[in-house]
Amino acid sequence: MPKRCIGIDIGSSYLRAVQLSRTNGRFNVEKVFTTQTRRSTDSPADILKSLTTRRGFDRRADVAISMPHNSVFYRSLVTDVDSIKQFSSSGSAALEHHFPIQPIESVAHVCSYRQMPDQKCSVLVAATKKESLQERLNTLSEANLKPNLVEAPIFAVRLTVAVNHPQAMTGKALIVYIDLSYITLAVIEDSNVLLVRNIPNFSRSDGDIYALTEQIAQLLSSEVEITWQKVFQAPLDQSTCIYLAAGHNLPKNLLAILKENLNCQITVVNPYAKVTRLPDSNGTADISLAQGLALSALVSEQAEATNFLKADTAKAKHPLNLKKEFTICAILLAAIAAVSFLGLLLRLSRLEDEYSNVKNEIKELFQSTLPQEKNIVSPLAQLEQKLQSLHKDYRLFAPLDPAHLDPLEALHSITKSIPSKTAIRIDDLLITDDSIRLNGTCDSFETVYHWQSLLQKIPQFKLVDVQDVQKLSQSGSIRFTILINPGFSEKI
């Protein structure tokens, strides 16, 4: 079963797709699809979905796509051999002043390099924004497609030239790709890309066709001569080969004007020169970019390629070093254990200080309370013994205290205070050291509160409180509770 790949070229106003297969070393164009996307309702994601659902493209084929022309930047830098890898490293400071992108936001790839005198190298670096790359990937993701390769446009065109015009890969040549908005020039020598230039194409397709052709021809003639002179330090001559490809139909007289202006060999790239076109492929001449993308996945070895997807993935992945990871974990565990142990030591030290302070405070309190005690063994135990002794002494001398109320005296005072000619009857009486409680009945509410006023006049009763006064339904008598707090009243 032949291997297949789909190359997808998404332009500002068009979308093209080419399905390519390789059988017995020969490439075959199996499917070609091209459509305009100028309307606001033309969704690239919907069109891409239709490739496998309606257009017959193989959903199992590898997918390659190009970045937009205006999102890829090229720089030819002079450096030494040891510094070449720095240009592909993520966030490399070596790229900071060479691209209009912050290094941390870029995806860079070393496309090619050539040896120069004094052990120097000329390095061609291509870079794009991570944001632009992600936008491209999102477009394919919406169509349920996953690309294997994201290529710079001119390198895909270079591969189309290499397959269909193999003579271009020997000696010096220049590849020109004309898009609606950009003109890209690539100088090659023995298949090695030395320099790439992206030039904005300010021409308008709605103008006069002759004026448009003259404008493109004038721009191309000038830029080609400048670019060639910059790379080889020599002017163009009749042996110089230029390969011209376009993303749209070129004006018929453009080739003649260019040959007259440049006086060199100009070949219009034919994407079917060495590639078989199947009868149902509906091939057109403007598939150079899409075909080159498909070829990129089918050709195993290329002189140059710029797979931004691979470059970005390489930055994101870091090889797992188990020994290093275990060492880091061991160091972290040791650090945690050391910090925990130090924390326990600090806590123990703080608790010992607090315990020592408490002992000193107890000792100071003991000395201030019992200054006569000279032998201090256990301050708390000694204080407790002293309090028990004082309590016993208090009980012993309590009867001699004027404020002390003897139970018999309390009973005598209560009975003596009962008013005569009243029906007061005491049912329950409880006398303690701290309080007196009595329950009883009488004939009326007035009798209860009159007796309360008499009890309040007794000097030994500090507080007399009447509670739970209620009338009994059966007998009609009044039940009450009186609480008395012994002690000298302030009225005496």
Side-chain angles (χ1 to χ4, degrees):
M1 184 176 180
K3 182 180 179 181
R4 292 183 172 88
C5 182
I6 301 173
I8 300 173
D9 173 19
I10 302 177
S12 58
S13 61
Y14 65 86
L15 187 148
R16 300 189 185 100
V18 173
Q19 178 174 300
L20 209 66
S21 66
R22 187 177 188 179
T23 306
N24 298 324
R26 187 165 185 83
F27 300 107
N28 306 299
V29 175
E30 296 182 336
K31 297 285 183 181
V32 174
F33 172 75
T34 178
T35 184
Q36 296 295 319
T37 57
R38 294 174 179 174
R39 298 174 301 180
S40 58
T41 56
D42 294 332
S43 170
D46 293 338
I47 297 173
L48 290 174
K49 285 181 182 178
S50 70
L51 293 178
T52 56
T53 58
R54 295 168 50 196
R55 310 294 177 182
F57 282 70
D58 189 353
R59 65 175 64 252
R60 295 169 298 178
D62 292 339
V63 176
I65 192 170
S66 66
M67 292 296 295
H69 292 275
N70 61 344
S71 68
V72 182
F73 305 92
Y74 306 91
R75 291 293 182 272
S76 182
L77 310 173
V78 177
T79 183
D80 54 80
V81 178
D82 297 333
S83 303
I84 292 177
K85 293 183 179 180
Q86 295 181 4
F87 297 113
S88 295
S89 63
S90 179
S92 174
L95 303 176
E96 184 173 3
H97 303 293
H98 297 286
F99 291 97
I101 315 172
Q102 291 296 327
I104 196 66
E105 300 174 356
S106 69
V107 180
H109 184 80
V110 175
C111 305
S112 64
Y113 64 91
R114 60 169 176 160
Q115 196 70 37
M116 297 181 67
D118 301 328
Q119 298 183 347
K120 295 292 183 179
C121 286
S122 177
V123 182
L124 178 63
V125 183
T128 188
K129 283 187 176 181
K130 290 183 178 180
E131 182 180 358
S132 301
L133 176 60
Q134 190 59 49
E135 289 177 359
R136 264 302 194 243
L137 297 178
N138 291 341
T139 301
L140 266 71
S141 178
E142 292 176 10
N144 299 322
L145 296 175
K146 185 177 180 181
N148 302 85
L149 183 142
V150 180
E151 181 72 283
I154 192 62
F155 281 87
V157 175
R158 186 204 69 86
L159 193 54
T160 297
V161 174
V163 171
N164 291 282
H165 305 278
Q167 69 276 10
M169 299 297 106
T170 303
K172 301 174 183 179
L174 193 144
I175 298 174
V176 178
Y177 184 75
I178 303 176
D179 188 67
L180 292 175
S181 55
Y182 275 85
I183 297 175
T184 306
L185 308 179
V187 180
I188 61 176
E189 183 178 17
D190 296 329
S191 79
N192 191 28
V193 181
L194 306 181
L195 179 70
V196 176
R197 293 185 61 200
N198 256 350
I199 304 166
N201 183 7
F202 297 107
S203 62
R204 294 292 181 265
S205 59
D206 54 356
D208 177 67
I209 188 64
Y210 180 78
L212 176 63
T213 304
E214 286 285 348
Q215 187 178 4
I216 295 176
Q218 185 64 33
L219 176 64
L220 266 178
S221 301
S222 175
E223 296 298 336
V224 165
E225 290 181 353
I226 293 173
T227 304
W228 192 268
Q229 180 72 30
K230 179 180 179 180
V231 175
F232 298 112
Q233 304 298 317
L236 292 169
D237 54 35
Q238 293 182 353
S239 63
T240 302
C241 296
I242 298 178
Y243 294 87
L244 184 62
H248 57 89
N249 293 327
L250 293 173
K252 294 181 178 180
N253 58 338
L254 176 62
L255 184 61
I257 298 174
L258 287 176
K259 287 184 176 181
E260 182 180 352
N261 291 346
L262 297 175
N263 191 26
C264 60
Q265 301 177 31
I266 301 178
T267 302
V268 177
V269 176
N270 179 10
Y272 301 104
K274 300 292 183 180
V275 176
T276 304
R277 181 195 307 182
L278 298 184
D280 60 344
S281 64
N282 299 322
T284 59
D286 52 2
I287 64 166
S288 299
L289 178 51
Q291 186 188 92
L293 292 169
L295 287 169
S296 298
L298 291 176
V299 177
S300 57
E301 295 181 359
Q302 305 176 42
E304 293 87 26
T306 55
N307 189 351
F308 289 115
L309 181 62
K310 183 178 179 181
D312 189 47
T313 305
K315 295 178 183 180
K317 292 183 178 180
H318 299 282
L320 181 63
N321 189 332
L322 292 178
K323 183 177 180 180
K324 182 179 179 180
E325 297 297 329
F326 280 125
T327 302
I328 293 175
C329 290
I331 293 174
L332 290 175
L333 290 175
I336 293 172
V339 171
S340 301
F341 182 70
L342 290 175
L344 291 175
L345 290 180
L346 291 174
R347 185 178 180 186
L348 178 61
S349 176
R350 185 170 60 253
L351 291 175
E352 289 178 348
D353 292 340
E354 292 179 357
Y355 177 70
S356 177
N357 293 334
V358 170
K359 287 181 65 176
N360 292 333
E361 290 178 1
I362 293 175
K363 186 175 181 180
E364 291 176 359
L365 180 61
F366 181 85
Q367 290 176 342
S368 61
T369 306
L370 301 174
Q372 68 277 10
E373 288 286 343
K374 304 299 181 182
N375 185 18
I376 303 175
V377 180
S378 178
L380 292 178
Q382 289 176 269
L383 281 173
E384 185 177 0
Q385 292 176 358
K386 190 65 176 179
L387 288 174
Q388 290 176 355
S389 177
L390 290 174
H391 188 62
K392 290 180 181 179
D393 293 343
Y394 170 76
R395 289 182 177 179
L396 183 63
F397 293 99
L400 301 178
D401 187 359
H404 178 73
L405 182 64
D406 186 74
L408 293 177
E409 292 180 359
L411 180 61
H412 175 72
S413 299
I414 292 172
T415 56
K416 186 178 178 180
S417 64
I418 298 175
S420 59
K421 299 179 182 181
T422 57
I424 295 177
R425 187 179 67 181
I426 299 175
D427 299 328
D428 185 23
L429 177 64
L430 176 63
I431 300 176
T432 66
D433 293 339
D434 300 327
S435 64
I436 300 173
R437 186 186 69 187
L438 58 88
N439 298 323
T441 58
C442 64
D443 54 353
S444 66
F445 289 101
E446 294 180 356
T447 302
V448 175
Y449 293 109
H450 176 62
W451 189 28
Q452 179 187 16
S453 63
L454 295 177
L455 290 171
Q456 290 175 343
K457 294 179 180 180
I458 299 175
Q460 290 83 356
F461 294 167
K462 182 177 181 181
L463 178 65
V464 179
D465 185 21
V466 178
Q467 299 180 351
D468 299 332
V469 181
Q470 56 183 339
K471 187 175 183 179
L472 300 178
S473 59
Q474 295 180 353
S475 61
S477 58
I478 306 301
R479 177 175 293 280
F480 60 87
T481 299
I482 296 178
L483 296 177
I484 301 173
N485 184 16
F488 283 113
S489 175
E490 296 179 356
K491 297 180 180 180
I492 61 174

